[in-house]
Amino acid sequence: MVEDFAGGFLTVALHRVLPLEYRRWAPVVTRLGCRSAGVWAAWWLSRLVGAGYTAMRGAYLFVGGVSGYAVRHGYVQRGWVERGSIPACVLWGGLVALGAGWQVGNGFRTPFPLNLLLLPVSMAEAVLVFVVGVLG
């Protein structure tokens, strides 16, 4: 869609900037640049959606586990922390905001001790991002 919208303008701009012997490459560079920009944007949007989902799922599991523990050991009554109750929703929402904020605030990077352990996985992800972005 970016190519359809701005491809003509970008091709003309490249024709004006490039030397004569490279002008024939302007449409190819425009097409690859627009597609790479689209893949890059889709990749970042998928990271944002993934961050939101993992924050919601993690908060859901945490609230369920902690509330079950609290009820089982008599710290709170059963109805006070059931799913859908106001305290459970407030706790869940706060944890979702905290988890998503943590991920976005760290730039989707793994914190220090885990980044060394997960270095091979991070390298494989970087290679995949490059291959999809350049060859996509």
Side-chain angles (χ1 to χ4, degrees):
M1 292 182 73
V2 172
E3 183 181 353
D4 291 341
F5 183 72
F9 166 75
L10 293 173
T11 304
V12 170
L14 281 174
H15 269 284
R16 290 181 182 170
V17 174
L18 292 174
L20 186 60
E21 63 267 13
Y22 296 121
R23 287 186 181 166
R24 65 184 174 135
W25 291 102
V28 175
V29 170
T30 301
R31 184 175 63 246
L32 288 176
C34 289
R35 289 181 182 179
S36 295
V39 168
W40 177 82
W43 196 271
W44 273 99
L45 287 174
S46 72
R47 280 186 169 188
L48 288 174
V49 168
Y53 177 76
T54 55
M56 286 188 282
R57 183 67 179 157
Y60 179 81
L61 291 172
F62 182 80
V63 169
V66 167
S67 64
Y69 178 85
V71 167
R72 198 171 36 251
H73 291 287
Y75 295 121
V76 295
Q77 296 174 355
R78 178 173 297 277
W80 193 76
V81 289
E82 279 191 21
R83 293 182 192 196
S85 68
I86 292 175
C89 287
V90 168
L91 180 60
W92 179 80
L95 288 173
V96 168
L98 184 67
W102 174 267
Q103 291 182 46
V104 172
N106 282 334
F108 304 101
R109 289 185 299 264
T110 311
F112 169 64
L114 292 176
N115 65 354
L116 295 177
L117 181 66
L118 297 174
L119 184 63
V121 176
S122 299
M123 291 172 63
E125 180 190 15
V127 168
L128 284 174
V129 168
F130 176 76
V131 168
V132 170
V134 171
L135 302 177

